[in-house]
Amino acid sequence: MSGPYVTIDLDKIEHNTRTIVELCERHGVEVTGVTKGVCGHPEVARAMLRGGVISIADSRIENVERLSAAGIETPVMLLRVPPLSGAEQVVQQVELSLNSELSVLEALGEAAARHGKEHEVLLMVDLGDLREGLWPDELIPFVGDALTIDGITIVGIGTNLACFSGLAPSEDNMSQLVALAVDVESRYGLSLRWVSGLNSSGLDLLASGRLPARVNHARLGEAILLGRETIKRKPLSGCFQDAFVLHAEVLELKQKPSDVQGERGEDAFGERPAFEDRGRIRRALLNVGREDVLVEGLTPQIPGLRILGGSSGYLVVDVTDAPEELIVGAELSFDLTYGALLATMTSQYVKKRTLSAGAARQGG
Ligand SMILES: *Cc1c(COP(=O)(O)O)cnc(C)c1O
């Protein structure tokens, strides 16, 4: 039985990485590649490393384990603030984690001391996106307390914008981050290696030249994987947007009405979908659905096709205006948003096929 599959073009990922790393270097920013969107896929991490990232970051310990099991020895940064219950594992698996709770830092410090290690931490500040991090006025006293904990070293401060509330990075909030770093350094006599201000939402600001000079680190996932910044989802110049493509097979092709006749209730997901009445149309059923992908995040590569909706195992597509005659058994390809990529990489039903001209030459 064949199922849907996603192709992963490693050369495109490497190219995107190199393009973005060079842009960031011109503005004094070093890049860590984020693999959480691909569940810590080791070959994607290797493509990012070939493209010039200084390290890899992921939000899940399982993904970090996957990377190290595959022999990737680069330092890995844990992006999601660690659970208090997982301090032991975190200290053993990663060199650096993002943090915002004193009790967790204490647990990390104890675990690190037990293993004769020093665990590096980046303190997260919430500059208004309202997800993780200390509120700015809490930072200074927090650092004072954190400095009394053995086994941890504060290597920098960071912030994460756009992911939760869509708050955009700006010259203002980045200057606020820099001011906080300077304040921490002068009060406690520290020297912070990282002011980690950016994720993929910050590349426009960086390219505009308005990023304060002291911001020197970016944690980039979507920009590398899908070639877009994430405020307006604008394609980044010189980058590929189709390193990942989802492929599915046509199971049924029928001429049927475009709208429903009769009394209607909710669909399988509790929604009441609305359909436009356009008479009889040609409808294709594909072998991909909500168990595999975020249906709303798919764009057919063939122009003229329209996605009408999806259930757990089917995607329904209007193929009336397909430029060529489709047949049962044909394969259709789709570009993915970040949400669709995430779902696809997470689904056990979607096979992952890596492509690489370089690897092919070496008989891989
Ligand atoms: C996911 C995540 C990133 C990467 O975000 P992109 O928009 O994919 O670049 C960076 N930092 C943190 C803390 C994250 O959780």
Side-chain angles (χ1 to χ4, degrees):
M1 270 283 285
S2 67
Y5 64 96
V6 59
T7 46
I8 307 174
D9 189 322
L10 298 172
D11 296 334
K12 288 184 177 174
I13 294 168
E14 180 180 336
H15 171 90
N16 283 0
T17 310
R18 185 165 295 115
T19 306
I20 293 166
V21 164
E22 282 170 5
L23 169 71
C24 289
E25 270 173 2
R26 287 200 293 277
H27 296 274
V29 170
E30 295 197 271
V31 178
T32 292
V34 175
T35 53
K36 72 180 180 211
V38 294
C39 303
H41 196 293
E43 289 188 72
V44 172
R46 285 205 178 90
M48 289 177 170
L49 288 164
R50 286 195 297 277
V53 298
I54 54 163
S55 62
I56 296 294
D58 204 290
S59 54
R60 288 177 196 260
I61 278 286
E62 293 89 334
N63 296 348
V64 174
E65 282 169 352
R66 185 178 177 194
L67 291 165
S68 58
I72 290 171
E73 285 169 14
T74 320
V76 178
M77 178 185 282
L78 185 65
L79 285 179
R80 185 165 67 177
V81 297
L84 183 60
S85 59
E88 184 74 30
Q89 210 184 0
V90 169
V91 161
Q92 284 176 277
Q93 293 286 339
V94 301
E95 309 202 349
L96 193 161
S97 58
L98 274 43
N99 283 276
S100 60
E101 287 290 348
L102 217 48
S103 55
V104 175
L105 289 181
E106 279 161 3
L108 290 170
E110 276 168 30
R114 266 200 303 282
H115 292 280
K117 293 186 172 188
E118 192 67 22
H119 185 72
E120 298 186 335
V121 302
L122 195 80
L123 299 181
M124 292 303 277
V125 184
D126 187 343
L127 294 181
D129 200 51
L130 308 180
R131 201 180 71 176
E132 79 275 40
L134 296 148
W135 204 245
D137 61 8
E138 297 175 312
L139 180 67
I140 295 297
F142 187 94
V143 171
D145 291 337
L147 285 171
T148 65
I149 301 171
D150 290 335
I152 60 164
T153 308
I154 300 171
V155 294
I157 65 169
T159 194
N160 196 62
L161 298 178
C163 279
F164 183 67
S165 305
L167 181 69
S170 65
E171 208 173 338
D172 271 1
N173 52 37
M174 288 298 112
S175 301
Q176 195 188 355
L177 186 67
V178 169
L180 287 167
V182 169
D183 198 6
V184 165
E185 290 184 324
S186 63
R187 273 179 209 242
Y188 297 109
L190 295 175
S191 154
L192 298 177
R193 179 148 40 105
W194 300 119
V195 179
S196 184
L198 304 181
N199 57 24
S200 298
S201 67
L203 291 178
D204 253 3
L205 179 68
L206 173 121
S208 76
R210 286 179 294 122
L211 186 70
R214 185 71 205 279
V215 177
N216 65 357
H217 185 244
R219 312 167 308 268
L220 302 179
E222 181 165 348
I224 292 175
L225 301 171
L226 296 176
R228 294 179 189 278
E229 59 81 41
T230 56
I231 291 296
K232 300 191 184 121
R233 295 250 143 55
K234 259 196 338 232
L236 293 167
S237 96
C239 289
F240 294 101
Q241 284 75 51
D242 61 351
F244 298 83
V245 178
L246 180 70
H247 308 266
E249 184 174 331
V250 176
L251 305 172
E252 180 191 294
L253 258 178
K254 304 285 180 203
Q255 200 83 27
K256 294 186 196 178
S258 48
D259 201 5
V260 181
Q261 306 298 312
E263 192 189 329
R264 297 178 57 192
E266 294 180 347
D267 71 6
F269 298 89
E271 311 274 330
R272 294 172 183 270
F275 301 113
E276 194 188 332
D277 190 359
R278 288 179 290 114
R280 282 171 82 84
I281 58 173
R282 197 157 176 77
R283 307 170 72 100
L285 283 193
L286 271 63
N287 65 339
V288 67
R290 293 191 190 274
E291 278 183 317
D292 313 290
V293 73
L294 181 74
V295 168
E296 294 72 22
L298 294 176
T299 306
Q301 287 195 330
I302 299 180
L305 303 196
R306 276 202 270 190
I307 295 172
L308 299 171
S311 54
S312 53
Y314 286 125
L315 188 73
V316 186
V317 184
D318 176 357
V319 296
T320 314
D321 296 333
E324 285 170 39
E325 192 57 33
L326 279 178
I327 54 169
V328 168
E331 194 179 276
L332 293 181
S333 305
F334 299 86
D335 288 331
L336 304 167
T337 60
Y338 188 72
L341 173 67
L342 196 62
T344 291
M345 294 303 294
T346 311
S347 171
Q348 57 168 319
Y349 302 107
V350 181
K351 293 191 192 66
K352 285 80 184 170
R353 294 193 192 160
T354 50
L355 315 171
S356 167
R361 272 199 299 279
Q362 293 155 22

